[in-house]
Each structure stands twice: as structure tokens, then as C-alpha cells.
Amino acid sequence: MSFVQELSAFVHQICLSPYNIGVQITAVALPLLLLSETVNFKLGRWIFKPLASLGFIVAALSYIPANNTSFVASSTAAATTFSSWTEASKVLTSNCAVDLVTAYELELKHVLFNIAPTILSSPPTSAAVHTTYTKAMMGAFVLGFIGDVLLIPHRGFLPGLVSFLAGHAAFMVAFTFHGQDTVARQTGLSFVAAMAAMVGPWLLPKIKNKIMRGAVVAYMLVISGMVITAFGSINSGQDYLPERIVGALMFFFSDLFVARQHFVHKTVLNKWIGLPLYYIAQILLASTLRGQQVLV
């Protein structure tokens, strides 16, 4: 099998649920955010960026399966979650708008009554105990949301960077607890080493503030670790989810455009490339929670 065929087979397995309510929140808010960035509409930035980021949190919660004794059975509540684009298109042609509204209502109940209470509650009082992978991933998404809000004002760059650094550390914990494949992890290490050899000399000399430079170096190390552990986790565990590795890579490249915007050259093109990469990455990583089982 050729490299192109292997890559095609790998990417073909990626599963997005276009009717997942969180995915749709981000899909609606992201273009409005990009338009706000283009015309420098500050109010729009404050409205649509948190909304787009809320979308990947809701998407993640929607993907998490529920305990069978919960308020709404997960098989019913996840009515807007499909295993493939083909399945989604069939539903689109066979169901009317009323059916979709009902599905959205069930999914919201699934998030509010099944999932959120079990993650927020301590194990003795919750009906279900979620895996370390699930908890670490949800922590990473929340930290990403906080980082997004902090990055809206220019003076919030350093606090936002710290929040994202912590989020990448949470991703590393999740991927590590999922299990690691040594050979696959070495592939990730090779990729990161090659990128560091190019990005370091390009970016670091442009950062004059020593504190900021140190923070950026720390961030580069942590996001590199996230990518390496994403590569390592791809062949381990009970499932094979390419969303982990593709999401991690898209996150990595989106941050290059954030760095270019802040330290190298300010242009709206950085936003138009970086923001879609970032939000698709978060949605892809959120979709990996569909493979997690609830511990009861």
C-alpha cells in the first residue's frame, strides 16, 4: 500500500458529527468571529470567540456516554451524534426539522442531566465515574476556553499562554493514561524535533522580553509533549482514533499562526488560517471522548 493510500485510509476514519449541538455552535460562531476579526469589531470578538469555544466544550460533553440509569439514556440523548457523514446525510433527507429540534432537546438534556453532574460530583455521590482520560480531556477544554477569553485583550497574552500551557499538560495526561505505543511515539518525537529546528531560530530571536521568551519556550516544550503523546496513543487502547493525532497536529500549526501574529507579522490572514485550524482541532479532540466508557 502506498503512502497516499495509507494516509487516505487513516483520514477516512475521522468521524465528525455535524448535528452535534456543540459542533454547530462552533460552526456558527467561528465565521462570525472571523468577520469580527477582519473588521476589528471588538464587541463581536468578545461575543463570538467565547461562544465558539463554548461549542467544543458542549461537543465534548455531548460525546461522553451516559450511565444507563441516568435521566436520559445516552443512545437516545446522543440522537444528533452520527458515526459518519453518510449516516448524517441519510438523516438529513429522512427527518424533518421537528425531529432535529427534538434531537437537540434530548442532547441538551443529556449534557445537563447525564454528563455535567457526574463530572462535577465526587465519586461517592455520582451515579457514574468517568475515566481519567475523560476528566483530563474536559480539564483541557475548560482551560482552552479560559485561554481563549484571556487572549481577547492584547495584555492577556501571557495569562492566556499559561492557561493553554496547562491545557496541553492536561492533554498529555489524557493521552498518557490512554496508553502509549513506543514506536508511534518515536515518530512524534521525530516530527517535533524537525519542527523545533525550524521554528526556534525563526521565532525566538524576535521575542525581546526575557520573561515572555521563557514562557514561550516552556509552552513550546509542553505542546511538543502533547503532540508526541498524541502520536504515541494512536495505536494503543481499545480503539483507533486518528482524531487524536490530527487534532494535535492542527493545534500545533494553529499556534504557529498565533505566534506569527503576536511576534512576527500582524495580519488578518493569521486569524483566517489559525482560528479554523484551532477550532477544528478542539472539535476533533472532543470527538475522541465517544470511545470512553462510563465506569459504574
Side-chain angles (χ1 to χ4, degrees):
M1 182 180 292
S2 68
F3 172 76
V4 174
Q5 289 175 319
E6 291 180 358
L7 181 63
S8 176
F10 179 79
V11 175
H12 183 71
Q13 299 176 77
I14 292 178
C15 169
L16 280 177
S17 301
Y19 297 144
N20 177 301
I21 192 169
V23 174
Q24 291 199 346
I25 290 172
T26 299
V28 170
L30 177 57
L32 296 172
L33 171 61
L34 290 171
L35 289 174
S36 299
E37 294 287 358
T38 301
V39 301
N40 197 26
F41 180 37
K42 294 183 180 180
L43 180 60
R45 191 179 295 130
W46 278 101
I47 293 173
F48 298 121
K49 191 170 189 182
L51 189 60
S53 301
L54 178 65
F56 59 70
I57 293 179
V58 174
L61 290 170
S62 299
Y63 279 118
I64 300 174
N67 180 17
N68 291 333
T69 60
S70 301
F71 180 77
V72 182
S74 60
S75 59
T76 304
T80 56
T81 301
F82 304 101
S83 60
S84 68
W85 287 96
T86 303
E87 183 182 346
S89 63
K90 289 179 181 178
V91 173
L92 179 62
T93 57
S94 62
N95 285 10
C96 64
V98 175
D99 296 324
L100 289 176
V101 171
T102 302
Y104 293 147
E105 179 185 358
L106 289 171
E107 189 164 356
L108 280 174
K109 288 181 178 179
H110 171 64
V111 170
L112 294 175
F113 297 103
N114 290 349
I115 304 304
T118 61
I119 290 179
L120 296 174
S121 300
S122 58
T125 59
S126 62
V129 178
H130 294 282
T131 63
T132 300
Y133 181 89
T134 297
K135 292 180 178 180
M137 291 293 285
M138 287 309 307
F141 295 133
V142 170
L143 287 164
F145 175 89
I146 294 171
D148 284 331
V149 174
L150 290 172
L151 285 177
I152 295 175
H154 183 78
R155 64 181 181 276
F157 184 84
L158 186 56
L161 184 147
V162 172
S163 183
F164 274 109
L165 186 152
H168 288 309
F171 280 132
M172 287 176 61
V173 170
F175 299 155
T176 301
F177 270 88
H178 185 269
Q180 290 288 296
D181 180 271
T182 305
V183 175
R185 192 170 56 205
Q186 287 296 325
T187 303
L189 179 61
S190 299
F191 167 80
V192 165
M195 290 302 300
M198 292 185 287
V199 173
W202 164 72
L203 179 62
L204 294 180
K206 296 177 175 63
I207 307 175
K208 305 304 179 183
N209 184 286
K210 291 183 179 180
I211 295 176
M212 182 64 74
R213 189 186 304 134
V216 169
V217 169
Y219 184 86
M220 291 171 62
L221 290 172
V222 175
I223 194 173
S224 296
M226 186 271 283
V227 172
I228 291 169
T229 52
F231 268 88
S233 71
I234 206 68
N235 291 323
S236 59
Q238 301 177 27
D239 50 4
Y240 184 84
L241 293 172
E243 289 86 343
R244 264 190 296 272
I245 193 168
V246 175
L249 287 173
M250 292 182 76
F251 211 138
F252 182 92
F253 285 112
S254 74
D255 278 343
L256 293 181
F257 288 95
V258 174
R260 185 173 186 266
Q261 176 72 13
H262 197 80
F263 300 113
V264 182
H265 178 61
K266 294 185 184 297
T267 170
V268 73
L269 185 63
N270 293 326
K271 304 290 182 72
W272 276 85
I273 298 175
L275 285 172
L277 282 173
Y278 166 71
Y279 282 107
I280 295 172
Q282 291 281 41
I283 291 293
L284 285 173
L285 292 171
S287 73
T288 67
L289 292 175
R290 72 184 188 274
Q292 295 301 299
Q293 300 299 318
V294 178
L295 309 177
V296 293

